[in-house]
Amino acid sequence: MSGATQPEDHGRQPLLNDALVVLEAPTQAWSNEAGDLGGAPIHGVFHGDWRYIAGLSLRVAGEPVEPTGTALTASRAVFHGIARAIDDVTPDPRVLIERERSVRAGALTERIRIRNGRDAAIVAELEVVVEASIAQLSTVKAGRPAPVEIGWRADGDALEASDGTRSLEIAADGALSRDGDRVTARWRLEVDAGATADAVLSLGLVDPTAVVGPAADRRIGMLPASGDAALDRWSRRATEDLRAMLLDAGAGPFAAAGAPWFMTLFGRDSLITARLLLPLSLELAEGTLRTLAARQGTAVDPATAEEPGKILHELRQSTFTMPGEGIELPPVYYGTVDATPLWIVLLHEAWGAGLPLATVRELRPALEAALGWLRDHGSPDGSGFLRYIDRSGTGLANQGWKDSGDSVRFRDGRIAEGPIALCEVQAQACQAAAGGAALLDALGDAEGAIEWRAWAERMRERFRAAFWVDRGGERYPAIALDGAGEPVDAKTSNMGQLLGTTLLTEEEEAQVARLLVVPRFASGWGLRTMASDEGGYWPLSYHCGSVWPHDTGIVIEGMLRAGLGAEARTLAAQLLRTADAFGGRLPELFAGFSAEEASTPVAYPASCRPQAWSAAAVVPVHRALTD
């Protein structure tokens, strides 16, 4: 036995790459490819921040159905299979099972159809077993589900389980029985030759403490047909997923970040998704802006990272704990450095896309508060650069979009120490100041507009002096400045998010774009988060070598703004190839292996999907390949 220190066992986060999900926010069902739930840690029926069902399995004549294929949309799946226990002895399957699962917000319906292709009638004994288990989402994510105690009562032909707050109703058109927290529905179906027969089970999920609910309006426009079959398939699937992920917290629709762990409001994710989708939905932009403005910070609170004018990071029903990482996030958490400038950017771009000036005027107090945060709180050291550091001791160590603890590294792989000033956050702040000035001009505040144009120009000058580095014969912007003001000199995709923001000159933008399309960055499947020749690179690192589709999409969008169409098309073609390989449902991220190393993109096994901003990346890709 070695003397190596063994890590403390905090459970293992469930892997997702082999599971199938059907969803309509805030409800989702995860199963295997045959439709059964319970064989993997991720399996279950979730509603909001809780899992209600840990298992749901079908047996016909006491045997599992043998799967033959699945037809899938965002909110509906039909699992096709055969039941040989009640079939004849010929080689051709004559008894088919169609198991249709549909999910609506707060509800799941399971319809099992027996199709008898035999020449004689059959009797099908069906059994569906439901394992009730109400457990907080964070405990499932940690790999240590902690079910709460539940009580049961009969309600007519249904059974209801409750923990005293949340409730689960199980109903069936067959006979229901219960053994502890396991409920069994049984049917005996007589099916004539050439006929069909159905059995139906339904679940109802209720949580009166939910902080977000389903969007009443799930409209998102469609991209025009491109003539490219793969691009059009991706467009249809992405739009369908995005519609299924829309939520409302009382101020209009916004996109949940992603399934399964982030089916709620995330400032950064929801803003970026709404911005990418502006050509398809102005209503989504307005709903996102209003929802976040209603929860804008008003006080200084180190425990939640709240500050006056700051836009929140995450909204939950209760404290969200990540065992083993030392992270414990309060229900309303403001630990993000970029959501506030991104809110201003979205407001400006939505106005440019047709948001009425009257709506901008209504949001003016939130605009002025957000601009005030850039000036008064975003740069606590007085350097003029937006910086972050976790002051609570239990929050996120990194508070940009690359929010894992090891994401900000030097070229030799060393992890930078804070307070951190990320390069793309300075670009977002510059863009926000310029956009805010245009909005103030439109609102009749010429003096305020002058102030913020000058602020943006000073940011450009500061950035040029502090962030650019020369390493190994290459000149490029560092990912960040560390707490001592030193450039963190790894080459990362962050520099791509400077494009089209007004931070760089045309020559600087062209220089960055040329670097991003070389094979060290452009993997053949999309843009790596870190160049493959850096000391911290690893293809399965969450933020230091993987490919994030939304990141590639934002860079493509910036390239188009900067007039760099050839480079945009290079990355767009790669991401389209990847989207087709994933059946049009791009995951949160995937491995950074090159197209030469792997003939298909390699999954990052814990990657969420669908992910709103990954789906929204189809919009800049479509523009790059069709304009």
Side-chain angles (χ1 to χ4, degrees):
M1 182 176 179
S2 75
T5 302
Q6 298 299 314
E8 186 178 351
D9 180 16
H10 289 283
R12 296 177 179 178
Q13 180 173 323
L15 302 184
L16 309 174
N17 58 298
D18 288 332
L20 183 148
V21 62
V22 183
L23 76 160
E24 184 176 280
T27 306
Q28 46 184 327
W30 289 78
S31 72
N32 64 21
E33 291 289 340
D36 276 356
L37 290 69
I42 184 52
H43 287 179
V45 180
F46 299 79
H47 181 65
D49 279 346
W50 290 78
R51 185 172 74 178
Y52 288 63
I53 297 292
L56 192 157
S57 58
L58 169 65
R59 297 292 181 268
V60 178
E63 296 183 3
V65 175
E66 297 179 70
T68 56
T70 306
L72 182 67
T73 65
S75 303
R76 176 179 174 272
V78 179
F79 305 96
H80 295 273
I82 58 176
R84 291 196 284 179
I86 54 175
D87 210 336
D88 59 26
V89 296
T90 61
D92 292 340
R94 306 295 295 181
V95 178
L96 307 183
I97 310 296
E98 293 176 358
R99 181 181 185 180
E100 179 185 1
R101 175 172 300 148
S102 59
V103 171
R104 294 291 177 264
L108 180 146
T109 301
E110 194 95 348
R111 179 180 297 275
I112 302 111
R113 172 165 292 174
I114 309 292
R115 296 182 60 188
N116 181 13
R118 294 178 56 179
D119 295 331
I122 60 171
V123 174
E125 302 273 358
L126 272 61
E127 180 180 276
V128 172
V129 177
V130 181
E131 296 180 23
S133 177
I134 300 180
Q136 199 164 11
L137 180 73
S138 59
T139 69
V140 180
K141 184 176 187 293
R144 291 186 174 276
V148 298
E149 186 175 348
I150 55 178
W152 289 87
R153 72 180 185 90
D155 184 7
D157 294 332
L159 291 171
E160 182 180 291
S162 175
D163 65 356
T165 301
R166 284 150 289 275
S167 63
L168 160 69
E169 182 184 80
I170 304 173
D173 57 3
L176 285 178
S177 62
R178 182 175 68 86
D179 180 8
D181 294 333
R182 174 176 291 191
V183 173
T184 302
R186 293 183 176 88
W187 298 265
R188 186 178 189 276
L189 301 180
E190 296 181 5
V191 192
D192 290 337
T196 64
D198 291 0
V200 179
L201 177 138
S202 61
L203 306 177
L205 315 165
V206 176
D207 187 351
T209 69
V211 292
V212 297
D217 185 352
R218 294 184 181 270
R219 287 180 296 176
I220 294 177
M222 284 293 297
L223 289 165
S226 67
D228 183 313
L231 182 54
D232 292 342
R233 282 194 299 270
W234 179 18
S235 174
R236 287 191 297 271
R237 182 61 182 271
T239 305
E240 181 184 278
D241 281 343
L242 286 160
R243 288 172 180 157
M245 295 178 70
L246 296 186
L247 292 167
D248 196 324
F254 63 87
W261 316 124
F262 311 118
M263 196 65 75
T264 186
L265 175 65
F266 274 72
R268 174 192 308 120
D269 300 56
S270 299
L271 286 162
I272 289 174
T273 299
R275 182 173 173 235
L276 291 174
L277 291 175
L278 263 175
L280 306 183
S281 177
L282 196 58
E283 293 76 15
L284 181 61
E286 181 177 349
T288 304
L289 290 163
R290 289 188 182 275
T291 299
L292 290 167
R295 293 159 177 80
Q296 194 170 24
T298 59
V300 174
D301 183 354
T304 64
E306 180 182 1
E307 291 169 337
K310 197 175 186 183
I311 299 298
L312 63 77
H313 171 63
E314 182 175 347
L315 180 66
R316 295 279 188 182
Q317 290 177 245
S318 58
T319 299
F320 196 82
T321 303
M322 303 182 197
E325 299 180 56
I327 294 174
E328 192 171 287
L329 304 183
V332 183
Y333 180 56
Y334 289 82
T336 168
V337 72
D338 52 4
T340 308
L342 286 170
W343 188 94
I344 301 169
V345 170
L346 178 60
L347 179 62
H348 175 243
E349 294 190 354
W351 172 63
L355 189 71
L357 187 60
T359 303
V360 176
R361 189 171 288 112
E362 288 180 43
L363 291 169
R364 181 173 180 171
L367 167 64
E368 292 180 339
L371 287 168
W373 181 83
L374 299 186
R375 180 190 59 225
D376 302 332
H377 298 280
S379 181
D381 64 348
S383 67
F385 292 122
L386 270 62
R387 292 182 177 272
Y388 63 82
I389 192 166
D390 172 47
R391 301 190 185 282
S392 70
T394 57
L396 296 173
N398 282 313
Q399 297 182 3
W401 85 260
K402 292 181 178 177
D403 57 3
S404 56
D406 64 350
S407 63
V408 183
R409 293 174 177 263
F410 288 89
R411 191 180 185 188
D412 60 8
R414 288 178 296 124
I415 297 173
E417 295 183 4
I420 297 292
L422 291 167
C423 67
E424 78 274 16
V425 173
Q426 316 317 311
Q428 292 156 357
C430 182
Q431 189 174 8
L439 290 168
L440 292 174
D441 252 343
L443 293 167
D445 184 359
E447 186 175 342
I450 291 170
E451 174 191 348
W452 285 102
R453 287 194 181 94
W455 194 95
E457 183 55 33
R458 290 195 298 272
M459 175 63 83
R460 297 180 189 108
E461 294 169 357
R462 284 194 299 270
F463 187 92
R464 192 160 290 114
F467 270 82
W468 283 85
V469 296
D470 292 280
R471 299 288 186 273
E474 294 177 316
R475 187 168 187 268
Y476 55 92
I479 181 177
L481 303 181
D482 70 4
E486 291 298 314
V488 184
D489 59 353
K491 295 190 296 294
T492 66
S493 65
N494 300 58
M495 71 177 79
Q497 296 198 21
L498 312 183
L499 302 174
T501 65
T502 79
L503 182 71
L504 304 182
T505 65
E506 287 186 14
E507 182 181 347
E508 289 168 340
E509 287 184 319
Q511 189 173 351
V512 168
R514 285 194 298 270
L515 180 58
L516 293 176
V517 295
V518 301
R520 287 170 293 164
F521 267 120
S523 68
W525 305 112
L527 182 66
R528 292 186 178 101
T529 46
M530 178 177 282
S532 60
D533 58 347
E534 297 299 305
Y537 171 79
W538 178 247
L540 280 165
S541 168
Y542 196 58
H543 285 133
C544 298
S546 62
V547 178
W548 286 64
H550 90 280
D551 183 33
T552 304
I554 290 172
V555 173
I556 291 168
E557 194 262 352
M559 288 174 167
L560 293 171
R561 283 173 176 262
L564 299 163
E567 291 86 350
R569 285 188 292 276
T570 295
L571 292 180
Q574 293 189 11
L575 201 56
L576 172 58
R577 183 184 179 195
T578 302
D580 208 40
F582 280 110
R585 178 177 273 177
L586 279 172
E588 176 188 19
L589 71 155
F590 54 92
F593 292 108
S594 71
E596 287 69 38
E597 294 173 291
S599 58
T600 61
V602 175
Y604 183 91
S607 182
C608 297
R609 68 183 200 287
Q611 191 83 352
W613 57 13
S614 292
V618 71
V619 177
V621 169
H622 188 280
R623 181 183 163 202
L625 296 178
T626 60
D627 279 4

